[in-house]
């Protein structure tokens, strides 16, 4: 049995966590003020998000694994959710006291702010829970300080500066999170190198199977799913490690294999195009010329 909780209203969310509503569209949460959770005998709890939500979980991150590797950041874990997303949790079937901090804001709050134009740049809102941001002590302190500033502003009488200051602090919060994620990609180099090796192996295996003919050209989503990562996290990881987007990396590999097949000289361009997963040979020829500087037949003629 599943219990479904829709998170659409800041006021309702505040009430459920024992907080006073200071602003109808924004709230800063201290989860330790909430009543102890008791989900009864349901098996899972599904949270459907209609708000942006950031949760700073006060857990020991050394207990969290990335593949076979432990995280070495001990202070806490930041998890992000965006409107339209959901998360299902197994019910522990014991009463427990929530801990940690958080922030929620309604998408309507962004209307007319600079953040409305940049919110989609923060791709970590679509990362999976196991791709959460793991903070050092100093980073955690900085995050909590910005949350305190947002809460301070929420408590002030509303004036013409209120929305701009709140939105600017939320944007500052997210910009720091982006910096910390960039750090995490670097410091997790051992774990990430293993993922990139598996990506390369899977990419080679893809072209040596019948998948191009049955599925089509390889996609970022396909390999992210194979590696149990979200497409955005996988794409960001590849970009940080290789300097190329995952899409460009796959395209480079596709063209490299195409060159080998064209050089073999015993198949037509159309046959090669279909073998690689192109639906239309003209698309293959156009792409090949764009990337190589000559058509497949011209390339064959000079090699």
């Amino acid at each position: 049995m599943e219990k479904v909780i829709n998170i659409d209203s800041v006021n309702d969310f505040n009430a459920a966590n024992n907080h006073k509503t200071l602003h109808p569209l924004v709230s800063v949460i201290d989860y330790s003020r909430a009543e102890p959770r008791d989900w009864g005998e349901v098996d899972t709890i599904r949270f459907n998000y209609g708000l942006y939500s950031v949760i700073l979980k006060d857990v020991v991150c050394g207990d969290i694994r990335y593949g076979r590797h432990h995280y070495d950041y001990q202070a806490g874990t930041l998890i992000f959710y965006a409107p339209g997303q959901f998360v299902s949790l197994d019910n522990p079937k014991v009463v427990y006291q929530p801990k940690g901090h958080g922030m929620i804001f309604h998408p309507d709050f962004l209307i007319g702010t600079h953040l409305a134009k940049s919110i989609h740049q923060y791709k970590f809102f679509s990362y999976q829970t196991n791709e959460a941001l793991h903070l050092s002590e100093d980073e955690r302190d900085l995050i909590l300080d910005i949350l305190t500033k947002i809460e301070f502003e929420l408590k002030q009488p509303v004036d013409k500066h209120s929305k701009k200051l709140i939105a600017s602090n939320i944007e500052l919060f997210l910009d720091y999170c982006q910096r910390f994620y960039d750090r995490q990609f670097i410091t997790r180099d051992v774990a990430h190198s293993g993922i990139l090796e598996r990506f390369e192996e899977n990419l080679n295996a893809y072209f040596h199977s019948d998948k191009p003919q049955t599925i089509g050209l390889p996609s970022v989503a396909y390999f992210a799913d194979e590696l149990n990562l979200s497409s955005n996290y996988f794409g960001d990881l590849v970009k940080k490690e290789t300097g190329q987007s995952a899409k460009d990396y796959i395209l480079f590999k596709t063209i490299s294999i195409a060159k080998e097949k064209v050089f073999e000289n015993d198949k037509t361009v159309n046959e090669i195009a279909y073998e690689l997963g192109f639906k239309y040979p003209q698309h293959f020829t156009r792409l090949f010329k764009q990337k190589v500087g000559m058509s497949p037949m011209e390339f064959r003629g000079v090699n």
Side-chain angles (χ1 to χ4, degrees), residues 24-278:
L25 300 178
V26 184
S27 186
V28 173
I29 304 293
D30 177 355
Y31 285 98
S32 66
R33 289 163 52 185
E35 296 296 328
R37 304 283 201 228
D38 182 2
W39 301 114
E41 293 303 311
V42 299
D43 297 314
T44 59
I45 308 100
R46 173 178 168 132
F47 297 91
N48 293 331
Y49 283 88
L51 308 171
Y52 288 96
S53 175
V54 182
I55 303 171
L56 175 58
K57 298 174 68 67
D58 282 331
V59 297
V60 178
C61 292
D63 293 336
I64 295 177
R65 290 175 177 266
Y66 188 107
R68 296 183 179 180
H69 301 273
H70 284 288
Y71 283 108
D72 50 10
Y73 289 87
Q74 301 297 315
T77 305
L78 269 178
I79 301 174
F80 303 82
Y81 298 110
Q85 295 180 324
F86 70 89
V87 59
S88 292
L89 303 176
D90 293 333
N91 182 11
K93 296 185 179 179
V94 295
V95 179
Y96 66 93
Q97 176 62 52
K99 293 182 180 180
H101 299 80
M103 173 176 61
I104 57 171
F105 54 97
H106 197 284
D108 286 355
F109 176 75
L110 304 181
I111 296 173
T113 69
H114 178 268
L115 185 55
K117 301 176 182 179
S118 62
I119 189 69
H120 298 295
Q121 297 175 11
Y122 304 106
K123 292 186 286 183
F124 43 73
F125 274 109
S126 58
Y127 289 174
Q128 296 172 356
T129 303
N130 65 317
E131 302 158 348
L133 177 57
H134 304 278
L135 302 175
S136 68
E137 289 285 355
D138 288 342
E139 290 167 351
R140 180 181 182 277
D141 290 344
L142 178 57
I143 288 300
L144 288 176
D145 181 60
I146 300 175
L147 289 180
T148 299
K149 286 182 171 63
I150 295 171
E151 186 173 31
F152 171 83
E153 189 56 42
L154 292 174
K155 291 178 179 178
Q156 304 308 304
V158 176
D159 59 27
K160 65 180 182 180
H161 303 289
S162 300
K163 184 170 184 176
K164 181 179 179 181
L165 287 169
I166 295 169
S168 296
N169 275 288
I170 293 175
E171 189 166 14
L172 178 64
F173 179 99
L174 298 177
D175 284 342
Y176 271 113
C177 290
Q178 187 62 68
R179 168 186 276 182
F180 299 156
Y181 255 116
D182 289 346
R183 179 270 302 153
Q184 181 165 301
F185 282 122
I186 295 170
T187 58
R188 302 262 54 85
D189 57 347
V190 175
H192 289 165
S193 64
I195 289 175
L196 289 172
E197 288 170 4
R198 288 168 56 201
F199 171 38
E200 183 70 23
E201 291 171 0
N202 289 347
L203 189 52
N204 288 327
Y206 190 95
F207 282 113
H208 285 89
S209 69
D210 63 353
K211 287 185 173 65
Q213 294 86 54
T214 58
I215 300 177
L217 287 168
S219 67
V220 174
Y222 173 86
F223 292 108
D225 186 60
E226 287 288 299
L227 296 167
N228 297 314
L229 300 172
S230 65
S231 294
N232 277 340
Y233 188 90
F234 174 65
D236 287 347
L237 188 157
V238 173
K239 179 72 172 179
K240 291 292 186 302
E241 291 292 318
T242 69
Q244 292 180 289
S245 69
K247 183 178 179 180
D248 286 343
Y249 192 93
I250 292 171
L251 181 59
F252 175 81
K253 185 70 174 182
T254 302
I255 294 299
S256 296
I257 292 175
K259 287 180 180 179
E260 295 175 7
K261 288 183 176 291
V262 169
F263 183 70
E264 288 174 0
N265 205 33
D266 60 348
K267 293 179 181 176
T268 68
V269 171
N270 285 6
E271 288 175 328
I272 293 171
Y274 290 128
E275 278 188 7
L276 291 170
F278 286 87

